[in-house]
Amino acid sequence: MQAVDLLIFDLDGTLIESKWDIAAAVNLTLAELKLPERTQEEIFGFVGDGIKRLLRLAVGENNQERYEQALTVFRGHYLSHCLDCTKFYPGIEPVLSHFAGKHMAVATNKSLEYTTKILNKLGAHHFAYIVGGDDGYGLKPDPRMLIKIMDNLNVAKDRAVLIGDSTNDINGGHNAGIKVCAVGYGMGDREKMAACKPDWFIEKPEELIGLFN
């Protein structure tokens, strides 16, 4: 087992299953703007690089002039619907309870406004620090949000681990100089994640309990 003082979690696809509410808000936005709607699978493939890139991809190359409008419209729809179906993945709450004596944090490319609303409902009390994609530290794989968390909580790199479901998470963790555990139950592409050489790869959250102490 690896001794750690800090577990940093990605949000979407790692802690929470949020893809249904994201897809619904995107298509409500496209419908309101009278743009072609996307399939759920298309939208799932756009998730991971923050809301701005998600919406640029969703509106399409030929409709980029509608992007700023889409950003505003999406905000209203997503704030209204971000908790319709979104919840912690099965197994997450026992993991958070098990590691209650450790520092835990969230590092997400999602905007802090949405992140805060969701976690306030599901269990923000578990986390000592939360950094969102619009906090000014760049988006993963930029390591700055991860370094900010470690600095704020005064944890050494060799005592921290990042848990995430995307290549951005794996590369971001390695760029920050910390070990990374990839998860296979989220939205990330398994082959692409494996190619980034995470230090561990798990299939369900409860496996974390056997990896870290």
Side-chain angles (χ1 to χ4, degrees), residues 7-187:
L7 296 94
I8 306 174
F9 293 90
D10 173 52
L11 186 64
D12 298 284
T14 301
L15 285 175
I16 62 171
E17 185 164 31
S18 53
K19 60 186 181 181
W20 313 110
D21 290 338
I22 292 171
V26 167
N27 274 334
L28 284 169
T29 298
L30 295 175
E32 184 169 330
L33 297 179
K34 296 181 171 52
L35 295 173
E37 294 184 28
R38 299 281 187 169
T39 67
Q40 287 182 328
E41 289 301 322
E42 279 184 295
I43 297 168
F44 299 161
F46 298 158
V47 173
D49 294 311
I51 294 298
K52 291 182 178 180
R53 178 164 169 76
L54 166 66
L55 288 173
R56 285 196 184 280
L57 293 170
V59 299
E61 289 184 12
N62 297 328
N63 298 299
Q64 287 300 300
E65 73 281 356
R66 309 295 299 280
Y67 160 72
E68 292 293 344
Q69 190 179 4
L71 202 58
T72 300
V73 172
F74 175 86
R75 178 179 178 272
H77 286 306
Y78 192 50
L79 284 173
S80 296
H81 296 286
C82 66
L83 285 161
D84 287 359
C85 301
T86 294
K87 59 192 176 193
F88 282 137
Y89 280 101
I92 286 293
E93 290 187 270
V95 166
L96 297 178
S97 296
H98 177 82
F99 290 112
K102 305 285 187 183
H103 292 303
M104 290 185 286
V106 174
T108 176
N109 286 350
K110 198 184 198 79
S111 299
L112 190 64
E113 181 179 30
Y114 308 133
T115 299
T116 300
K117 179 167 184 176
I118 291 168
L119 288 178
N120 281 347
K121 176 70 172 179
L122 298 183
H125 63 281
H126 291 292
F127 306 104
Y129 207 74
I130 298 169
V131 181
D134 52 354
D135 271 351
Y137 303 106
L139 301 178
K140 295 171 292 182
D142 188 319
R144 286 178 293 164
M145 69 167 67
L146 306 175
I147 293 168
K148 173 66 176 175
I149 291 169
M150 289 185 285
D151 287 347
N152 184 271
L153 297 176
N154 194 29
V155 174
K157 291 180 180 181
D158 63 353
R159 302 287 297 188
V161 62
L162 175 68
I163 300 109
D165 76 314
S166 74
T167 58
N168 284 337
D169 294 315
I170 300 167
N171 292 331
H174 288 159
N175 289 342
I178 65 176
K179 292 186 180 296
V180 181
C181 180
V183 307
Y185 57 80
M187 291 183 280

